[in-house]
Amino acid sequence: MFAALAEAEPGTFYLTDFLLRHFERLVIRGLGLDRHPELFATYFGNYRKLQYLAQAAGRAGAGAGARDRGAHGDWN
């Protein structure tokens, strides 16, 4: 499944439920975007699609947190 997704759209950022739950710590703070938000376009400017991949059953509604990241940049 992953290979087909990657082949169909190479410019995809894959977001798992684990990454979503820890997005602030792993991505925003981990990459220093909290201190240097101007780097957001540098890190994520080539992505064209956001694909949510649930790793745990019952996590389908977890995607709401990803929409909150819109404050840090354009995920379109």
Side-chain angles (χ1 to χ4, degrees), residues 2-70:
F2 180 78
L5 288 171
E7 180 71 25
E9 182 59 69
T12 301
F13 183 84
Y14 294 96
L15 186 65
T16 63
D17 47 357
F18 176 83
L19 186 55
L20 180 61
R21 281 193 310 272
H22 304 287
F23 195 84
E24 188 72 29
R25 179 174 51 93
L26 295 175
V27 178
I28 302 300
R29 291 193 319 247
L31 294 175
L33 294 170
D34 55 336
R35 297 177 311 280
H36 301 283
E38 69 276 8
L39 294 175
F40 196 92
T42 302
Y43 289 138
F44 299 105
N46 292 319
Y47 290 110
R48 296 186 303 257
K49 180 180 176 183
L50 173 67
Q51 179 71 49
Y52 176 69
L53 300 174
Q55 293 174 301
R59 299 292 303 173
R67 288 188 291 275
D68 294 341
R69 295 293 64 138

